[in-house]
Amino acid sequence: MAFTLRLGETAPDFSLLGSDGKTYCLADFTEETLVIFFTCNHCPYVTGSDEITRKTVERFTGDGVRFVGINANSPNTYREDAYEFMVTRMAEHKFPWTYLHDATQSIALAYGALRTPHFYVFNKARQLIYTGRAIDTPKTGDAATMFDLDNALAAHVAGKPITTPVTNPLGCNVKWEGKDAHWLPADACDLEL
């Protein structure tokens, strides 16, 4: 059994607190396409590519694409990943996505989040159609030469097949509570391409 969701699988439901103080579940997002991505406050791969992600959101929002970030990192590993810093970060940067807190890490486990960031794209039926990275250089977003998430979304909203529906996410490991940084099985570290 694969650790992370496979293409065609349905998005697991959730009930998570947002940085805006509201609680959200999967059904609250009714757009044609839903991008769920596991992220955090401190990871250099996240902070290095946040502005690229912002541009992707701005590019596709008019095409019925909604973006939801989920922070599942344990604040006991990095204090900066605590909920209160999510609130501060969203107020400071005004990112154009909903930012949710997976305090128990159960949702990250249900999705099989491997890295921060790790992107999952779901169609209207909430079946997985793309998983992996957004760009090839998330730590230094301005140096990107491959825009895998943009390419996948552009194909999907145009009604075309996604030519590369699986890529390996690039970033820091999810900071799992009470687990060694490298506790995942070896076959969870690379997706089948």
Side-chain angles (χ1 to χ4, degrees), residues 42-117:
H42 87 279
C43 171
Y45 293 88
V46 167
T47 60
S49 60
D50 273 336
E51 291 308 314
I52 298 291
T53 304
R54 183 194 301 272
K55 289 176 185 174
T56 301
V57 174
E58 291 169 350
R59 177 179 175 192
F60 290 101
T61 296
D63 294 313
V65 181
R66 180 72 179 266
F67 286 73
V68 176
I70 299 177
N71 174 20
N73 275 3
S74 168
N76 293 323
T77 304
Y78 279 93
R79 178 75 182 121
E80 306 98 299
D81 284 330
Y83 176 77
E84 60 264 31
F85 296 110
M86 292 173 56
V87 173
T88 302
R89 191 160 190 269
M90 288 298 280
E92 179 182 344
H93 295 283
K94 298 181 177 25
F95 291 125
W97 53 78
T98 304
Y99 195 18
L100 306 179
H101 187 219
D102 180 13
T104 67
Q105 301 185 312
S106 62
I107 304 309
L109 200 55
Y111 280 75
L114 299 175
R115 307 254 184 252
T116 54

